[in-house]
Amino acid sequence: MTTAPPEPGSARLRLDPVLADRVMDALHLAGLPLAHGGHGPGVHLRPAHPLDDGDHCRGLIALHWLPSRRLAQAAATEEHQQPAHTAQQLVVNAVQHALTELLPLLGTTASEAFHLWEIRVSDADPLPRDLAGPPGPRPHGPAPIAPGIRPDVITAVHRSAHLAGLPVAARPGDPGIILRPCPPLDPDDDTSGIADLGWNPSRRLANATGPAARNLRAAVEEAVRRSLAVALGACGLDLWWRRPEGLPPQLRAYGPSENPPIRR
């Protein structure tokens, strides 16, 4: 994905600090990293630039997903549709599509502009009271990498997540990708050593109580997992959905794929 050049006069554009704080709060709740200073990985916030003469975008915030520097640099040396260039496009589009689902759930008005070239935020409601407080204690729970997962699967998840710019949870309750046991769905379904990928949001969201908070956690995980299937697959992880009837879907990680975008 190419980055558009700055518009004339863009230096005079300023972020609305109240709206920017609210957007960053929503991203923290979801567990997504922020790209400070325009350097990835993470979500980068900047004032929206007009796309044409009729685009009245003053006051809007534009969001972009920045993958790892390694993927971005590799993509910059390639032509359109070459492996790293294609992987970067898939990663950015997948995560930015997830943002269009996540941000409205977290109280902000978000919309796609120019076919996912950027996400624009125009407004935000105050956070619910039970989500506006401090993070609270680290939630108790299973380790973010379940026992019995094969080492090659763990390495492949970390490698692809690093390229995409997505965090892998290091401790129970940390935001990021988690590797859960993958129960077999029938007697012939051998799931030994593979992982079902999930997503931890922030501690603040994980510690919130009540049906609304539980539903919000589930919606955040569902949106991020859909982006993981595309983004991690583009970055060299062999993974597939299994959607058994009447059971939660499994996002199965099997190990490194045969055609990673970066081999060195």
Side-chain angles (χ1 to χ4, degrees):
M1 173 170 289
T2 58
T3 301
E7 298 289 339
S10 61
R12 295 192 298 271
L13 297 174
R14 293 291 183 269
L15 287 175
D16 177 338
V18 176
L19 182 58
D21 284 347
R22 181 63 185 82
V23 172
M24 288 189 287
D25 213 14
L27 295 169
H28 279 303
L29 274 175
L32 291 167
L34 294 170
H36 296 286
H39 301 289
V43 181
H44 179 223
L45 284 71
R46 66 159 176 78
H49 299 149
L51 300 175
D52 53 49
D53 291 341
D55 185 10
H56 304 292
C57 61
R58 185 171 297 278
L60 302 186
I61 292 177
L63 306 181
H64 302 262
W65 179 257
L66 302 180
S68 69
R69 182 174 299 181
R70 186 177 182 211
L71 180 58
Q73 289 177 341
T77 66
E78 292 187 348
E79 300 293 333
H80 183 62
Q81 294 186 339
Q82 287 188 295
H85 188 275
T86 298
Q88 179 181 241
Q89 288 183 314
L90 288 171
V91 168
V92 172
N93 288 348
V95 179
Q96 291 190 180
H97 185 75
L99 291 177
T100 65
E101 298 181 6
L102 287 171
L103 291 173
L105 296 172
L106 297 166
T108 65
T109 302
S111 61
E112 302 171 3
F114 199 60
H115 302 294
L116 279 183
W117 179 71
E118 66 183 21
I119 308 301
R120 290 185 171 186
V121 178
S122 57
D123 198 8
D125 298 322
L127 277 175
R129 183 173 300 178
D130 56 346
L131 294 177
R138 187 178 303 279
H140 296 288
I145 299 178
I149 306 297
R150 294 199 320 264
D152 65 308
V153 173
I154 297 172
T155 299
V157 170
H158 275 273
R159 176 181 169 83
S160 58
H162 173 75
L163 282 179
L166 292 159
V168 179
R171 295 174 294 178
D174 280 357
I177 299 167
I178 55 175
L179 287 72
R180 304 179 292 205
C182 197
L185 301 178
D186 57 59
D188 297 323
D189 186 19
D190 182 8
T191 61
S192 56
I194 66 174
D196 174 24
L197 300 187
W199 179 260
N200 274 349
S202 67
R203 277 191 285 153
R204 221 177 348 149
L205 182 53
N207 286 332
T209 58
R214 287 195 296 272
N215 292 338
L216 181 56
R217 284 199 300 273
V220 166
E221 180 182 20
E222 182 180 356
V224 176
R225 287 179 83 202
R226 283 197 293 268
S227 74
L228 296 181
V230 177
L232 300 188
C235 289
L237 182 64
D238 183 11
L239 75 175
W240 298 93
W241 282 108
R242 289 295 300 272
R243 301 181 184 274
E245 186 175 355
L247 294 173
Q250 297 177 356
L251 181 56
R252 294 183 172 187
Y254 293 91
S257 64
E258 295 182 356
N259 298 300
I262 301 175
R263 292 186 178 275
R264 57 186 181 275

